[in-house]
Amino acid sequence: MRSDELGQELHALVERLYPLCRSITGDGVRSTLAIVDELIPLTTHEVPTGTEVLDWTVPREWNIRDAYIADARGRRVVDFQASNLHVVGYSTPVDATMSLDELRGHLHTLPGQPDLIPYRTSYYREDWGFCLTQRTLDELQEGQYRVVIDSTLADGHLTYAEHVVPGQVADEVLISCHVCHPSLANDNLAGIAVATALARRLAGTTPRYTYRFLFAPGTIGSITWLARNQERIGLLKHGLVLACVGDSGALTYKSSRRGDTRIDQAVRHVLATSGRPHRIVDFSPYGYDERQFCSPGFDLAVGSLTRSPYAGYPEYHTSGDTPDLVKPEAMLDTLDTLTDVVGVLEGDRNYVNLSPFGEPQLGKRGLYDALGGWTDTKQAQLAMLWVLNLSDGGHSLLDIAERSGLPFTAVVAASDALLGADLLKEI
Amino acid sequence: MRSDELGQELHALVERLYPLCRSITGDGVRSTLAIVDELIPLTTHEVPTGTEVLDWTVPREWNIRDAYIADARGRRVVDFQASNLHVVGYSTPVDATMSLDELRGHLHTLPGQPDLIPYRTSYYREDWGFCLTQRTLDELQEGQYRVVIDSTLADGHLTYAEHVVPGQVADEVLISCHVCHPSLANDNLAGIAVATALARRLAGTTPRYTYRFLFAPGTIGSITWLARNQERIGLLKHGLVLACVGDSGALTYKSSRRGDTRIDQAVRHVLATSGRPHRIVDFSPYGYDERQFCSPGFDLAVGSLTRSPYAGYPEYHTSGDTPDLVKPEAMLDTLDTLTDVVGVLEGDRNYVNLSPFGEPQLGKRGLYDALGGWTDTKQAQLAMLWVLNLSDGGHSLLDIAERSGLPFTAVVAASDALLGADLLKEI
Amino acid sequence: MRSDELGQELHALVERLYPLCRSITGDGVRSTLAIVDELIPLTTHEVPTGTEVLDWTVPREWNIRDAYIADARGRRVVDFQASNLHVVGYSTPVDATMSLDELRGHLHTLPGQPDLIPYRTSYYREDWGFCLTQRTLDELQEGQYRVVIDSTLADGHLTYAEHVVPGQVADEVLISCHVCHPSLANDNLAGIAVATALARRLAGTTPRYTYRFLFAPGTIGSITWLARNQERIGLLKHGLVLACVGDSGALTYKSSRRGDTRIDQAVRHVLATSGRPHRIVDFSPYGYDERQFCSPGFDLAVGSLTRSPYAGYPEYHTSGDTPDLVKPEAMLDTLDTLTDVVGVLEGDRNYVNLSPFGEPQLGKRGLYDALGGWTDTKQAQLAMLWVLNLSDGGHSLLDIAERSGLPFTAVVAASDALLGADLLKEI
């Protein structure tokens, strides 16, 4: 597929998922996963309400059909059908008439961004509310309003899904993204789209690592997954949480809690040698599900890749986060970066130089220019010298790429040539 | 007390102490300590001349009543009554008449600062001398001069004093300042005043640590204290040497020899989060009594807090170091900084998160906003997340404050809330 | 000798060596070593063709008497007698007439530097060729050319030489420079000249370390030396590879592979305290014979000192690298730097302070000013305080010089004074 076509396809997926009203449970999540399942086969898990998961409990399932505020003439002044952000997530059912003053305690606006609807939830305290623009609120007349939320909050299930690409070894790479946000495009439909595309790129290959893609509601979803997969945690060697990967900002890598793991090194190297503008930030215990994967009991090697960072753009968590904010070329750029990171994880090896005393004579093995005296040694030859010099057991190919400043691919090519000449041995 | 009143009170103490002629021994020190004793109860120690203290010996005691140089007409051209800096400290008695040429070998001036009298001493070689301004020297006519120093240098005692605020544990915090300088205000009457004020702030409290305030002559005083308290050294966990804490320069923290002790970390954190301009400098083996506390045999966790650093202002060790150089608001600022440092030492703890797998659900414990979706997580909640994430046994609250960039007080408040919810345990 | 005379003498040596046609074997190397032997006694080694040395084999010996390309009228358009760079090193004999087109495959130019002849070799693949300026090539007319290379490539020897200054201990300092380049002045006749001058400075002294000067062809020469001296490797404690030490660029120190060895620290300190502009660069596995000494099997403490770095000036490996490029004052400056580095290696010691509790009283030992109160403590006294404070077994004098920022010589003088007062003991 041509890359511009792939970009358009990713964007079409974002647009298709955008209208669905997702939350941490409910049919919006199921519909979302069903669409992803058309592209990559998913194993979907339904976890009953009340299940104990680590320190949490799976909540009741929430579904909503309609909601509005209507004025005395029956005109819908706030309408869920126009935007599912209008209803506070997990709002309990209501059907009442009340004065504007009574209603105000249930209304949420962004006074500083008067044309945007905020995104609000109330998962763990029973309540109801509406979100609207400040401009709409300002125009409401005093008087009586009919308030309707046609929702259900009842025992049911929490839904999440996995897609696994089996590898040569049981050790796993986790790619995780949250699927609980209603009509917010960059956060996180872009993440779902890019994760899906990465899975498709791996389809049909047999990578070294097993790749596990996790599509789960934020916080409670990753906590549920962790609770149900404790025996698997030891296999999880590297991981990335994807969010906000479609806006036009520069890529941002938030390091794992440990900060010096192989995934941290791999992402940093790919970004540093890509020429892309980018940011590397330290771990902090807020943001997305890296909060859970990097809690001190697990302390996994999981970083987070975004473009604009968490809460780092003005449309974040508002009705301004539409598919227009998400750019096909930005999603492609994130996907290519991820592909390079996967390439590094896949290709990284530890070798020892079998001829460590002095340089081995590369020329007699056909690995070095016969004509000497050049002032510009070729990259391939430099890469071989670096691999030979640092392959002492203590440096992996990624370490060598970082130390030398050479692209990882050049270092791998050099190690392949040296392996072919029996000058290296894997350890 | 209002802070401006406290500032005035500190300055009044500096002014009251200023005229006394202090040296490393003698009645000037005793009078100084008697005035401090009016404010905080002191235990005064008198150590006899000849006592062996580490590599040193307590010298003879020096006292002085009068001294002058008079011209042929009997007019005092240099007069101890006008400034006690006019006499070289520890000058032996003299009563003689001599030509200006004979006298010159005993005269000390500052040619580069012709209006200032230098401060000079000769503690360990018997000698006598006068200090005067270059301008005065230039005006002296040839001729005979009467030279009188009415001093005594005789067996006696070295005097130092301690004030102790008992704590809940025997481990100690040392606050040390030198009391041996004659009429020099910033160096170190300001240090005496600020140390006294800190002791008064602690009065009536029962802090965790025991706080020991040491008022001793420089070098020989701290060496004497160290020699006589060797069994106590192991209890001294943190310490600060105070000097030059009243000038209008920015605060300067000179790290302990080890450089990475808790006191270093505490002062750096307080300064970094205070918004105050400040300097952090590495340890060096000259300056004040940190030289002795940080000698390699002791190597204590003792840093030094000054405003302008040691020898770092033009009036240093001259008659220009008057009470006018010392500002009430600068001493208050130093005092407040010290109070914050004490707060950090007192409040620092090591906890372990009792719910380390995933984040514990703070909402059900009333510790987290029920309404979700905010883009500006509140500092109190951030602080709880940081404390939970880093409380793995390897990070104290101060470590967490440093890593998170949050104020120490916010981190302590968060840990208190989490303790109340049984989510932390002290180790 | 006055330093300008010494500079002229060094330059005269470069000029004398310049015309000789050196290669990795052959009489050019022997003639070069014979000239050096006039200045410092050399032990010359002849290693037969075919000798196995590590992963390499000593090649056949190459000698050349004449070579040219003559046009149809017999005029030499390219003439070895004008510049030995005109012939590709190790060219096999040839005597033929051919068209310009046939000849082109054997001609090497620098199109980007059309007035310079490149330096090319073909040590390990039998071939022949000529190097010429692009301008000469452009002027050649179509037609037949007589091509003559009067060379021999036959079993013989590889020649290298050593000069040893015996020290008090068997531990060695290696100074190595390559002697295989034909008429290239900065690379590396300047290195030969400066190494020779350093050896002369050491002549007649009995230094602590044994100093070994190695004059060997690049790569194969150092590999041969390493192969024949494996039992000596453990004695080689510090080393420097000298190359390009005569141009007017700033000094460049390329760190050893380990990067934190004593030689790295010594050179960095000398450069940092010299006030000279300079560069410190990390190790990389290309450049000069540090490639071999720092191969992972040996991993010796050998850095490389150059002025302009390897391949770092436009005339590098071209006919532009003439004696004019080499400056007497630059070679002197390099020599003085090396002398200071030797001084550091020779003078570095580890002491323990025998009076580590508090400062020892320096005044009673005559080591400290009797008159106190000075604001400018003298460097000699500061140096003593630093030596006393850091002589805890973990810091050598060089460590102390680095930490204090004082010149190494001041630290040594201080330690000598303290030794004289029985305040230090060597460990």
Side-chain angles (χ1 to χ4, degrees):
Chain A
M1 191 182 307
R2 283 172 40 202
S3 70
D4 55 349
E5 287 174 7
L6 176 56
Q8 292 307 324
E9 190 175 298
L10 291 174
H11 200 268
L13 179 57
V14 168
E15 289 179 322
R16 186 172 168 204
L17 295 171
Y18 182 69
L20 300 173
C21 183
R22 280 162 295 270
S23 186
I24 54 172
T25 61
D27 291 332
V29 173
R30 289 189 191 94
S31 303
T32 298
L33 297 175
I35 291 170
V36 173
D37 184 61
E38 296 174 16
L39 301 166
I40 55 172
L42 295 183
T43 304
T44 302
H45 304 264
E46 297 279 350
V47 184
T49 296
T51 305
E52 304 285 334
V53 286
L54 303 178
D55 187 59
W56 301 60
T57 306
V58 172
R60 285 187 286 169
E61 180 176 330
W62 183 68
N63 285 289
I64 182 166
R65 287 157 295 279
D66 195 10
Y68 59 87
I69 301 171
D71 64 15
R73 296 182 305 171
R75 196 171 46 100
R76 289 186 173 202
V77 295
V78 175
D79 187 356
F80 173 76
Q81 305 301 336
S83 168
N84 56 38
L85 293 178
H86 276 312
V87 176
V88 169
Y90 262 62
S91 279
T92 50
V94 63
D95 186 346
T97 300
M98 60 186 71
S99 68
L100 180 56
D101 270 2
E102 287 172 282
L103 184 52
R104 278 187 197 278
H106 294 274
L107 301 184
H108 306 278
T109 66
L110 293 168
Q113 295 172 294
D115 293 313
L116 297 177
I117 309 165
Y119 164 52
R120 293 287 178 268
T121 63
S122 186
Y123 299 139
Y124 298 103
R125 192 183 61 186
E126 286 196 25
D127 201 356
W128 62 266
F130 285 86
C131 300
L132 64 163
T133 70
Q134 182 66 39
R135 214 166 298 281
T136 299
L137 178 58
D138 292 343
E139 287 166 2
L140 293 187
Q141 308 291 320
E142 295 303 320
Q144 293 298 105
Y145 287 88
R146 173 100 187 274
V147 179
V148 172
I149 298 179
D150 178 13
S151 67
T152 47
L153 183 58
D155 283 357
H157 294 82
L158 176 145
T159 312
Y160 71 85
E162 296 174 283
H163 169 81
V164 174
V165 181
Q168 299 162 38
V169 298
D171 287 346
E172 294 196 353
V173 178
L174 176 73
I175 306 291
S176 171
C177 56
H178 60 279
V179 296
C180 54
H181 283 188
S183 293
L184 297 172
N186 191 40
D187 177 24
N188 192 29
L189 303 178
I192 296 170
V194 169
T196 302
L198 182 64
R200 292 176 74 186
R201 281 199 171 167
L202 289 167
T205 71
T206 304
R208 178 158 63 126
Y209 287 109
T210 293
Y211 286 77
R212 181 173 302 271
F213 292 81
L214 176 61
F215 300 88
T219 306
I220 186 67
S222 56
I223 283 170
T224 300
W225 185 88
L226 284 162
R228 291 161 54 97
N229 289 275
Q230 301 198 41
E231 83 296 336
R232 187 188 304 282
I233 300 299
L235 295 174
L236 204 164
K237 299 302 183 194
H238 320 285
L240 283 174
V241 171
L242 300 186
C244 304
V245 296
D247 66 90
S248 54
L251 282 161
T252 302
Y253 179 65
K254 174 178 161 181
S255 305
S256 78
R257 181 178 185 271
R258 287 187 264 154
D260 60 351
T261 68
R262 206 47 78 171
I263 187 69
D264 297 307
Q265 195 184 356
V267 181
R268 285 196 310 252
H269 178 72
V270 165
L271 291 173
T273 56
S274 72
R276 292 174 176 90
H278 65 275
R279 284 173 291 253
I280 307 288
V281 299
D282 285 340
F283 177 76
S284 58
Y286 42 94
Y288 300 103
D289 282 331
E290 66 277 8
R291 291 162 64 153
Q292 311 309 328
F293 299 118
C294 294
S295 57
F298 295 115
D299 202 13
L300 296 171
V302 174
S304 172
L305 189 67
T306 63
R307 299 195 72 88
S308 288
Y310 170 78
Y313 51 99
E315 301 87 353
Y316 185 83
H317 277 197
T318 75
S319 55
D321 187 351
T322 69
D324 285 351
L325 198 74
V326 171
K327 306 300 180 196
E329 60 277 14
M331 288 191 287
L332 274 180
D333 180 67
T334 307
L335 176 61
D336 288 344
T337 300
L338 286 166
T339 305
D340 289 347
V341 170
V342 166
V344 171
L345 295 176
E346 289 289 308
D348 197 25
R349 292 290 186 283
N350 254 59
Y351 294 113
V352 285
N353 176 347
L354 296 173
S355 181
F357 295 97
E359 289 172 12
Q361 192 178 2
L362 297 176
K364 71 183 181 190
R365 296 172 172 91
L367 299 175
Y368 215 75
D369 280 347
L371 189 73
W374 301 100
T375 60
D376 55 336
T377 306
K378 296 178 180 63
Q379 191 187 66
Q381 297 184 6
L382 288 184
M384 282 188 280
L385 295 176
W386 275 108
V387 171
L388 287 167
N389 191 272
L390 292 180
S391 288
D392 54 7
H395 298 87
S396 78
L397 295 184
L398 179 53
D399 295 329
I400 296 170
E402 279 205 310
R403 170 91 177 257
S404 67
L406 293 168
F408 183 76
T409 47
V411 171
V412 170
S415 69
D416 286 346
L418 295 167
L419 274 171
D422 294 327
L423 286 169
L424 295 182
K425 185 176 70 172
E426 188 170 356
I427 55 167
Chain B
M1 193 183 306
R2 283 173 40 203
S3 71
D4 57 346
E5 287 174 8
L6 176 56
Q8 292 307 324
E9 190 175 297
L10 291 174
H11 200 268
L13 178 58
V14 168
E15 289 178 321
R16 186 172 168 204
L17 295 171
Y18 183 69
L20 299 173
C21 183
R22 280 162 295 268
S23 187
I24 54 172
T25 60
D27 291 332
V29 174
R30 288 189 191 94
S31 305
T32 298
L33 297 176
I35 290 169
V36 172
D37 184 61
E38 296 174 15
L39 300 165
I40 54 172
L42 295 183
T43 304
T44 301
H45 303 264
E46 297 279 351
V47 184
T49 296
T51 304
E52 303 286 333
V53 285
L54 304 178
D55 187 60
W56 302 60
T57 306
V58 171
R60 284 186 288 170
E61 180 176 330
W62 184 68
N63 284 288
I64 183 166
R65 284 156 297 278
D66 195 10
Y68 58 86
I69 302 172
D71 65 13
R73 295 183 304 172
R75 194 171 48 99
R76 290 185 172 201
V77 295
V78 175
D79 186 357
F80 173 76
Q81 304 303 335
S83 168
N84 56 38
L85 294 178
H86 276 311
V87 177
V88 169
Y90 262 63
S91 278
T92 48
V94 63
D95 185 346
T97 299
M98 61 185 71
S99 70
L100 181 58
D101 269 1
E102 288 173 282
L103 183 53
R104 280 187 196 277
H106 294 273
L107 301 184
H108 306 279
T109 66
L110 293 168
Q113 295 173 294
D115 293 314
L116 296 177
I117 309 165
Y119 163 54
R120 294 287 178 267
T121 63
S122 187
Y123 299 140
Y124 298 103
R125 191 183 62 187
E126 285 196 26
D127 201 356
W128 61 267
F130 284 86
C131 300
L132 63 163
T133 70
Q134 182 65 39
R135 214 165 297 281
T136 299
L137 177 60
D138 291 345
E139 287 166 3
L140 292 186
Q141 308 291 321
E142 296 301 320
Q144 294 298 104
Y145 286 88
R146 172 100 187 274
V147 179
V148 172
I149 297 179
D150 177 14
S151 67
T152 48
L153 185 57
D155 284 356
H157 295 82
L158 176 144
T159 312
Y160 70 87
E162 293 174 284
H163 169 80
V164 175
V165 181
Q168 298 162 38
V169 298
D171 287 347
E172 294 196 354
V173 178
L174 176 73
I175 306 291
S176 171
C177 57
H178 61 279
V179 296
C180 55
H181 283 188
S183 293
L184 297 171
N186 191 40
D187 176 23
N188 192 29
L189 303 179
I192 297 169
V194 169
T196 302
L198 183 64
R200 291 176 76 186
R201 281 199 171 166
L202 288 168
T205 72
T206 305
R208 178 158 65 125
Y209 287 109
T210 294
Y211 285 77
R212 182 173 301 274
F213 292 80
L214 176 61
F215 300 89
T219 306
I220 186 67
S222 56
I223 284 170
T224 299
W225 184 86
L226 284 163
R228 291 161 55 97
N229 288 275
Q230 300 199 40
E231 85 294 336
R232 185 187 305 281
I233 299 299
L235 295 175
L236 203 164
K237 299 302 181 192
H238 321 285
L240 284 173
V241 170
L242 302 186
C244 303
V245 296
D247 67 89
S248 53
L251 282 161
T252 302
Y253 178 66
K254 174 178 162 180
S255 305
S256 77
R257 182 179 185 270
R258 289 187 263 155
D260 61 351
T261 68
R262 206 48 78 169
I263 187 70
D264 297 308
Q265 196 183 356
V267 180
R268 285 196 311 253
H269 178 72
V270 165
L271 291 174
T273 56
S274 71
R276 293 174 175 90
H278 65 275
R279 284 173 291 252
I280 307 288
V281 300
D282 284 340
F283 177 76
S284 58
Y286 43 93
Y288 298 103
D289 283 331
E290 66 276 10
R291 293 162 63 155
Q292 311 309 327
F293 299 118
C294 295
S295 56
F298 294 116
D299 202 13
L300 296 172
V302 175
S304 173
L305 189 68
T306 63
R307 299 197 71 90
S308 289
Y310 169 78
Y313 51 98
E315 303 86 353
Y316 185 83
H317 276 197
T318 75
S319 55
D321 188 352
T322 67
D324 285 350
L325 198 75
V326 172
K327 305 301 177 194
E329 60 277 16
M331 287 193 287
L332 273 181
D333 180 67
T334 307
L335 177 61
D336 288 343
T337 299
L338 286 168
T339 305
D340 289 347
V341 170
V342 165
V344 171
L345 294 176
E346 288 290 308
D348 197 24
R349 293 288 186 287
N350 253 61
Y351 294 114
V352 285
N353 177 347
L354 295 174
S355 182
F357 295 96
E359 290 173 10
Q361 193 179 1
L362 296 177
K364 71 183 181 190
R365 295 172 173 91
L367 299 176
Y368 215 74
D369 280 348
L371 189 73
W374 301 99
T375 59
D376 55 334
T377 305
K378 295 179 181 64
Q379 189 186 66
Q381 297 184 6
L382 289 184
M384 281 188 280
L385 295 176
W386 275 108
V387 171
L388 287 167
N389 191 273
L390 293 180
S391 287
D392 54 7
H395 298 88
S396 78
L397 295 184
L398 178 53
D399 295 328
I400 295 170
E402 279 204 311
R403 171 89 176 259
S404 67
L406 292 168
F408 183 76
T409 47
V411 171
V412 170
S415 69
D416 286 346
L418 295 167
L419 274 172
D422 293 326
L423 286 168
L424 296 181
K425 185 176 71 173
E426 188 169 357
I427 55 167
Chain C
M1 191 183 307
R2 282 172 40 201
S3 69
D4 57 347
E5 287 176 7
L6 176 55
Q8 291 307 324
E9 191 175 297
L10 291 173
H11 200 267
L13 178 57
V14 168
E15 289 178 322
R16 186 173 169 203
L17 295 170
Y18 182 69
L20 299 174
C21 183
R22 280 162 294 269
S23 187
I24 54 172
T25 61
D27 291 332
V29 174
R30 288 190 191 92
S31 305
T32 299
L33 297 176
I35 290 169
V36 172
D37 184 61
E38 296 175 14
L39 301 165
I40 54 172
L42 296 183
T43 304
T44 302
H45 304 265
E46 297 278 352
V47 184
T49 297
T51 305
E52 303 287 334
V53 285
L54 304 178
D55 187 60
W56 301 60
T57 306
V58 172
R60 286 185 289 171
E61 180 176 329
W62 184 67
N63 284 289
I64 182 164
R65 287 157 295 279
D66 196 8
Y68 58 88
I69 302 171
D71 64 15
R73 296 182 305 173
R75 194 172 47 101
R76 291 188 172 199
V77 295
V78 175
D79 186 357
F80 172 77
Q81 305 302 335
S83 168
N84 56 37
L85 293 179
H86 275 312
V87 177
V88 169
Y90 261 64
S91 279
T92 49
V94 63
D95 186 347
T97 300
M98 60 187 71
S99 69
L100 181 56
D101 271 359
E102 288 173 281
L103 184 53
R104 279 186 197 277
H106 294 274
L107 300 183
H108 305 279
T109 66
L110 292 168
Q113 295 172 294
D115 292 314
L116 296 177
I117 309 165
Y119 163 54
R120 294 287 177 268
T121 65
S122 186
Y123 299 139
Y124 298 103
R125 190 183 62 186
E126 287 195 26
D127 201 355
W128 62 267
F130 285 87
C131 300
L132 63 163
T133 71
Q134 183 64 39
R135 214 166 298 282
T136 300
L137 177 59
D138 292 344
E139 287 167 1
L140 292 187
Q141 308 290 321
E142 294 302 320
Q144 293 296 104
Y145 288 89
R146 172 99 186 276
V147 180
V148 172
I149 297 179
D150 177 13
S151 67
T152 47
L153 183 57
D155 283 356
H157 296 81
L158 175 144
T159 312
Y160 70 87
E162 295 174 284
H163 169 81
V164 174
V165 181
Q168 299 162 38
V169 298
D171 288 345
E172 292 196 355
V173 178
L174 176 72
I175 306 291
S176 171
C177 56
H178 61 277
V179 296
C180 54
H181 283 189
S183 293
L184 297 171
N186 191 40
D187 176 23
N188 190 28
L189 303 178
I192 298 170
V194 169
T196 302
L198 182 65
R200 292 175 76 187
R201 280 200 172 165
L202 289 166
T205 71
T206 304
R208 178 158 65 125
Y209 287 109
T210 293
Y211 286 78
R212 179 172 304 271
F213 292 80
L214 176 61
F215 301 89
T219 306
I220 186 68
S222 56
I223 284 170
T224 300
W225 185 86
L226 283 162
R228 291 160 54 97
N229 288 275
Q230 301 197 41
E231 83 296 335
R232 185 188 304 282
I233 300 299
L235 295 175
L236 202 164
K237 300 300 183 194
H238 321 285
L240 284 173
V241 171
L242 301 187
C244 303
V245 296
D247 67 90
S248 54
L251 282 161
T252 301
Y253 178 66
K254 174 177 162 182
S255 305
S256 78
R257 181 180 187 269
R258 287 188 263 154
D260 61 351
T261 67
R262 206 48 78 173
I263 187 70
D264 297 307
Q265 195 183 356
V267 180
R268 285 197 310 252
H269 178 73
V270 165
L271 290 173
T273 55
S274 72
R276 291 173 176 90
H278 64 276
R279 283 173 292 252
I280 308 288
V281 299
D282 284 341
F283 177 77
S284 59
Y286 43 93
Y288 299 101
D289 283 331
E290 67 276 9
R291 292 163 63 155
Q292 311 309 327
F293 299 118
C294 294
S295 56
F298 295 116
D299 201 14
L300 296 172
V302 174
S304 171
L305 189 68
T306 63
R307 299 198 69 89
S308 290
Y310 169 77
Y313 52 99
E315 300 88 353
Y316 185 83
H317 276 198
T318 77
S319 56
D321 186 354
T322 67
D324 285 349
L325 197 74
V326 171
K327 306 301 178 195
E329 60 277 14
M331 288 192 286
L332 273 180
D333 179 68
T334 308
L335 177 61
D336 288 343
T337 299
L338 286 166
T339 305
D340 288 347
V341 170
V342 165
V344 170
L345 295 176
E346 289 288 308
D348 197 24
R349 292 289 186 285
N350 254 60
Y351 294 114
V352 284
N353 176 348
L354 296 174
S355 181
F357 295 97
E359 289 172 11
Q361 193 179 2
L362 298 176
K364 72 183 181 190
R365 295 171 173 91
L367 298 175
Y368 215 75
D369 279 347
L371 189 73
W374 299 101
T375 61
D376 55 335
T377 305
K378 293 179 182 63
Q379 191 187 65
Q381 297 184 7
L382 288 185
M384 281 188 280
L385 294 177
W386 275 108
V387 171
L388 287 168
N389 191 272
L390 292 180
S391 287
D392 54 8
H395 298 87
S396 79
L397 295 184
L398 179 52
D399 295 328
I400 296 171
E402 279 204 310
R403 170 91 177 257
S404 68
L406 293 167
F408 184 76
T409 47
V411 171
V412 170
S415 69
D416 286 346
L418 294 167
L419 275 171
D422 292 327
L423 286 169
L424 296 181
K425 184 176 71 173
E426 188 170 356
I427 56 169

